[in-house]
Amino acid sequence: MSPDATSTRPAIGASIPRVDGPLKVSGRATYSSDHHFPGLLYAVPVGATIARGEIAAIDDSAAAAMPGVRKVYTRANIGTFYKPGKSGMIDESRPPFEDDTVHYYGQYVALVVADTFEQATAAARAVKVDYRNVAPPDVRLALSPEENQTTDSERGHVDAALASAPVTVDQTYTTPPETHNPIELHASVAVWDGKAFTLYETTQSIMNHRAVMAQMLGVPKENVRIVTEFLGSGFGGKLWPWPHALLAAAAARDLGKPVKLVVTRQMMFHNVGHRTNTQQRVRLGANHDGKLVALRQDFIYRTSRIDDSKEDCGEVTGFLYSTPNLKVTSARARRDIAPNTAMRGPGAVPGLFAIESAMDELALALKIDPVELRLRNEPAIDESLGIPFSSRHMKECLTRGAEHFGWSRRNPATGSMRQDGVVLGWGMAACAWMAQRLDAEVSLLLNADGSVRVASGTQDIGTGTYTMLAQMVAYDLGVPIERIQVVIGDSALPPGPLSGGSMVTGSLVPAVAQAAADAVQQLLDTAAGHGPFVGAKAEQLAFTEGRVHLRSGTPADGVPFADILKQARLAHVEGKGKSRNTFGDKEAKKFSMHSYGAHFVEVTWDPAIARLRVSRVVTAIDAGRILNPLTGRNQIEGAIAMGVGMALFEDTRYEPLHGKAINSNLADYIMTTHADMPDVDVLFLDYPDTKLNALGARGIGEIGLAGVAPAIANAVHHATGVRVRELPVKIEDLLASHVV
Ligand code: MOS
């Protein structure tokens, strides 16, 4: 079959394997730390071994004399880092080595640069740091509001409604600190050519990274180029720059040599953010018929002493259910722990653990099925903003998910369902996540060799952005996927969106469509009046599946676009497209735009040996039109794996003497493995949300994680009778079970 005969219009909605898959599985995909240059040096930071105090002295004499060591940097000789100002987003805004104060365990206090990684590592261990004014750190996870509580959302009179509600729930839920553990470590390879930087970085936002690095390194933006061709994921931990990137760049500039700095797994637990712990008191009030009359959520999140990254647990609370009376308040508590940052589904994910656990407790108190309870509280509009939803099919997520799971066979009595000698627990939870667009620019070349190049200064966190872009172009132009080259991951390209908030795909759709239309227009202008189209005006021509033809004729009578360009002796025509963000867009603000879902979970509980497993998950997701069910399902499956980890395993522990994360490795920080994976079934509702973009595609990176942990905890309660309100669920908790 010739490429032109391939019908490419179905590119949207087709299960197309990742276009970058072969590069990845053959090891040819170049990740940031894979970049190597002649004369490359290796940098290894020295981390503080206290969490609170001051540096009294640093003795680097032994380290400096060790083999291969080029230089040991401290505050005395690193040079100037400027403050980030308003250049962009950064979670640790204090420049590295800013002063002698230590704010958290592991804070970088020195940097060794040597000829090899081993030499740098050995010398880093030989740097002797003396501290003074050392104080015991406060790393307590129990939280009380230490700063003024603020009201984030309010309607009606929640306290009065709670006081008079016939049925109430009042419980406190906590989630632990979770550490992002993408398999690709954070890394920087910095190259300075005497005037400009080229920085190979692990970043979810090359454009933001460029802006912040330029400001903090004190060079114009034009003199910084960020390259991130592939990411071994990031989960939010790679959204904003971290201090190691500045250190690598400063050393490269000072030494005039390329410098590579790879953050170790242990450092990943201290120096590149984490999802902070939260404590949430949830009060629900309902009538006997299950109608919510009041919802109050008061949450506290922990931050570092030096920055404030808000974990907005109330993110989805205001519009999830219908209730006339609602209040969400937040407060932060400062501790001697490093700055936290966004982690997949920030805010909503811990928030939904509390809300959806409380809803399960309410269902039990009311003796109403938990699915039915949610159906009875489905809002007609977004009651927090008083505006309609762009496209919300929560009810169908609930009913289709329930049907697919077999929910009607559920016996609500605790520990009542058994199979193959174990107790079955069935639980469920609903979820939501925002849908928004960011600014995006795209360049699209129709090349004289018949290929198409699409380029944007965005990056692929691993979710399939290369594939999405190829599909969008295939859809807009009708050109086969194989002839489309996707170029991303370079800040020299037209500025593209960051890979966060599940916004990349939705942001790129309008920009790609506009760039494609622009390129086609230029092609038709070029073709008009020449060759086979002598006497024809551009408006009499059409472009169909890669061919230019008379509107009055058929594509088969036309010519391939490559021929037009060759005849005109043009290497290419370039189309340009732009998307506008939704945040300041009046039209977009008329609608409440979110994705929705419902998770149905089965756990098995073997009381004889206290063994709990998540055995089966059915997830129904309403995320607009699904551009690629294969990569889409993959996103949800990965999210469910992460949800199992959140429910049962993940928990960063800080020891109280030094404030160190003691489980700072992949053996002790437990994450979901293949052996822990349940049988997963993903249903996509596939209703296009054309308020967000013409294809109706919302993001699916985060929605799949939201709600998984409470669905599991609810299933655990059904199996064991133990209500776990403090994640993760521990075997110790379940030993209280009366189910035998
Ligand atoms: Mo995601 S936490 O928005 O990278």
Side-chain angles (χ1 to χ4, degrees):
M1 190 163 58
S2 78
D4 282 338
T6 316
S7 180
T8 49
R9 219 44 196 176
I12 293 301
S15 285
I16 294 165
R18 279 158 207 265
V19 296
D20 51 332
L23 278 180
K24 286 185 170 174
V25 295
S26 63
R28 285 174 294 146
T30 315
Y31 289 81
S32 297
S33 68
D34 292 335
H35 288 277
H36 198 84
F37 300 95
L40 180 86
L41 303 175
Y42 294 82
V44 171
V46 178
T49 52
I50 62 163
R52 201 170 171 178
E54 284 163 39
I55 301 164
I58 297 181
D59 178 1
D60 63 5
S61 53
M66 285 171 70
V69 173
R70 296 293 181 111
K71 198 157 177 178
V72 181
Y73 290 97
T74 63
R75 184 157 93 80
N77 63 350
I78 192 70
T80 304
F81 292 120
Y82 297 89
K83 298 214 173 193
K86 293 194 188 309
S87 58
M89 289 291 295
I90 184 166
D91 274 322
E92 184 166 340
S93 55
R94 173 188 180 273
F97 301 177
E98 175 76 349
D99 50 36
D100 286 330
T101 309
V102 175
H103 300 275
Y104 60 88
Y105 182 96
Q107 177 184 314
Y108 301 141
V109 295
L111 180 81
V112 176
V113 181
D115 291 340
T116 70
F117 174 68
E118 290 76 11
Q119 289 169 332
T121 302
R125 287 192 186 130
V127 173
K128 202 174 161 318
V129 184
D130 286 325
Y131 300 97
R132 65 175 173 230
N133 299 330
V134 179
D138 180 355
V139 295
R140 286 169 303 138
L141 298 185
L143 305 175
S144 50
E146 289 171 12
E147 297 187 26
N148 285 343
Q149 230 178 17
T150 62
T151 298
D152 294 351
S153 179
E154 186 168 22
R155 58 180 185 258
H157 303 279
V158 79
D159 292 328
L162 280 168
S164 61
V167 182
T168 56
V169 167
D170 180 357
Q171 295 292 352
T172 296
Y173 305 86
T174 66
T175 60
E178 285 185 277
T179 300
H180 316 71
N181 272 292
I183 291 308
E184 182 202 30
L185 300 164
H186 287 243
S188 291
V189 179
V191 182
W192 169 253
D193 68 5
K195 184 169 151 250
F197 286 105
T198 304
L199 306 173
Y200 301 85
E201 301 279 9
T202 49
T203 175
Q204 292 173 229
S205 177
I206 51 175
M207 303 314 300
N208 179 74
H209 203 90
R210 180 179 73 164
V212 175
M213 294 297 277
Q215 166 64 22
M216 295 185 78
L217 291 165
V219 294
K221 250 199 292 203
E222 296 71 31
N223 292 12
V224 180
R225 181 180 163 213
I226 309 295
V227 177
T228 305
E229 289 160 282
F230 294 95
L231 275 165
S233 203
F235 305 115
K238 293 173 181 168
L239 275 170
W240 324 127
W242 293 102
H244 69 269
L246 290 159
L247 292 177
R253 178 164 57 185
D254 181 58
L255 294 167
K257 298 266 187 200
V259 169
K260 180 184 290 192
L261 194 166
V262 179
V263 176
T264 64
R265 185 63 64 181
Q266 283 76 13
M267 288 176 189
M268 295 260 290
F269 281 77
H270 299 106
N271 299 87
V272 286
H274 56 272
R275 192 204 295 279
T276 194
N277 53 302
T278 71
Q279 186 173 299
Q280 306 171 56
R281 181 176 177 193
V282 177
R283 279 170 275 187
L284 302 178
N287 293 331
H288 289 292
D289 63 0
K291 182 71 200 71
L292 275 178
V293 293
L295 192 171
R296 178 162 181 167
Q297 179 187 24
D298 301 283
F299 66 91
I300 311 168
Y301 57 97
R302 192 259 304 145
T303 70
S304 74
R305 301 258 182 225
I306 49 176
D307 280 290
D308 178 27
S309 169
K310 181 172 183 179
E311 188 68 27
D312 185 6
C313 298
E315 162 97 28
V316 303
T317 309
F319 62 88
L320 195 58
Y321 297 115
S322 172
T323 176
N325 305 293
L326 176 139
K327 188 168 185 174
V328 179
T329 73
S330 64
R332 76 183 153 220
R334 296 200 182 278
R335 295 288 186 269
D336 301 302
I337 301 176
N340 54 300
T341 192
M343 184 174 185
R344 201 175 193 173
V349 164
L352 279 163
F353 170 66
I355 299 293
E356 289 299 284
S357 294
M359 283 294 280
D360 201 62
E361 301 205 50
L362 182 65
L364 277 166
L366 290 163
K367 297 192 171 54
I368 293 178
D369 179 88
V371 175
E372 180 58 30
L373 177 64
R374 287 163 175 87
L375 291 172
R376 288 185 196 176
N377 288 290
E378 175 69 8
I381 61 162
D382 180 330
E383 295 175 4
S384 65
L385 299 173
I387 54 174
F389 295 111
S390 57
S391 171
R392 170 167 165 142
H393 301 274
M394 177 72 100
K395 276 188 160 178
E396 196 174 329
C397 289
L398 292 162
T399 54
R400 275 187 60 191
E403 189 185 7
H404 203 83
F405 185 82
W407 188 259
S408 62
R409 298 195 305 276
R410 181 177 186 262
N411 179 342
T414 302
S416 63
M417 296 176 68
R418 291 182 191 245
Q419 181 185 293
D420 303 329
V422 293
V423 181
L424 297 185
W426 285 8
M428 57 79 53
C431 64
W433 179 251
M434 68 172 188
Q436 297 289 340
R437 281 193 322 264
L438 297 165
D439 289 335
E441 291 185 29
V442 162
S443 151
L444 188 143
L445 303 184
L446 295 174
N447 288 322
D449 66 0
S451 67
V452 179
R453 175 189 188 264
V454 61
S456 180
T458 186
Q459 54 287 308
D460 189 339
I461 184 178
T463 48
T465 301
Y466 279 99
T467 311
M468 287 304 116
L469 270 164
Q471 282 184 254
M472 288 176 206
V473 173
Y475 176 81
D476 288 327
L477 293 178
V479 168
I481 290 270
E482 305 76 53
R483 286 191 7 215
I484 300 163
Q485 184 199 4
V486 179
V487 181
I488 57 175
D490 186 337
S491 65
L493 298 169
L498 61 86
S499 301
S502 308
M503 292 184 283
V504 174
T505 300
S507 304
L508 287 170
V509 166
V512 172
Q514 198 183 64
D518 183 19
V520 165
Q521 188 56 53
Q522 292 182 47
L523 182 75
L524 300 185
D525 289 345
T526 305
H530 296 284
F533 305 115
V534 169
K537 294 198 165 110
E539 51 271 28
Q540 292 170 295
L541 302 179
F543 179 92
T544 308
E545 300 200 348
R547 299 174 77 86
V548 177
H549 59 94
L550 287 167
R551 279 188 190 277
S552 55
T554 67
D557 300 330
V559 294
F561 74 80
D563 293 1
I564 309 278
L565 294 169
K566 275 183 221 147
Q567 261 171 21
R569 291 208 53 247
L570 291 175
H572 56 247
V573 286
E574 178 179 15
K576 293 180 182 171
K578 253 186 203 190
S579 301
R580 281 194 19 233
N581 73 73
T582 43
F583 296 98
D585 178 349
K586 274 199 196 129
E587 271 312 298
K589 284 197 176 303
K590 288 183 183 160
F591 296 95
S592 171
M593 297 192 282
H594 300 88
S595 286
Y596 301 93
H599 304 283
F600 293 82
V601 168
E602 176 184 275
V603 299
T604 63
W605 167 243
D606 186 345
I609 56 169
R611 182 164 73 175
L612 180 77
R613 309 274 318 208
V614 181
S615 50
R616 195 159 68 87
V617 176
V618 171
T619 288
I621 296 287
D622 168 26
R625 171 142 25 154
I626 301 304
L627 302 189
N628 184 333
L630 189 66
T631 53
R633 181 166 294 114
N634 186 232
Q635 279 299 289
I636 306 300
E637 286 169 350
I640 288 166
M642 211 163 160
V644 171
M646 179 181 177
L648 304 184
F649 309 127
E650 295 196 44
D651 186 0
T652 311
R653 298 289 186 95
Y654 300 94
E655 56 87 0
L657 280 184
H658 306 93
K660 177 186 196 285
I662 44 173
N663 51 350
S664 60
N665 58 75
L666 294 188
D668 296 320
Y669 185 87
I670 305 170
M671 294 191 294
T672 307
T673 67
H674 283 290
D676 302 303
M677 268 310 271
D679 186 39
V680 174
D681 222 333
V682 180
L683 311 173
F684 286 122
L685 266 43
D686 216 19
Y687 290 110
D689 185 348
T690 50
K691 296 285 189 301
L692 189 64
N693 54 55
L695 289 180
R698 298 195 292 244
I700 44 177
E702 282 151 302
I703 182 70
L705 174 59
V708 176
I712 293 172
N714 295 342
V716 165
H717 180 267
H718 182 230
T720 66
V722 178
R723 175 63 62 182
V724 180
R725 301 189 184 92
E726 182 188 316
L727 287 183
V729 174
K730 296 167 211 56
I731 293 298
E732 305 89 284
D733 302 327
L734 303 184
L735 295 180
S737 175
H738 295 294
V739 175
V740 289

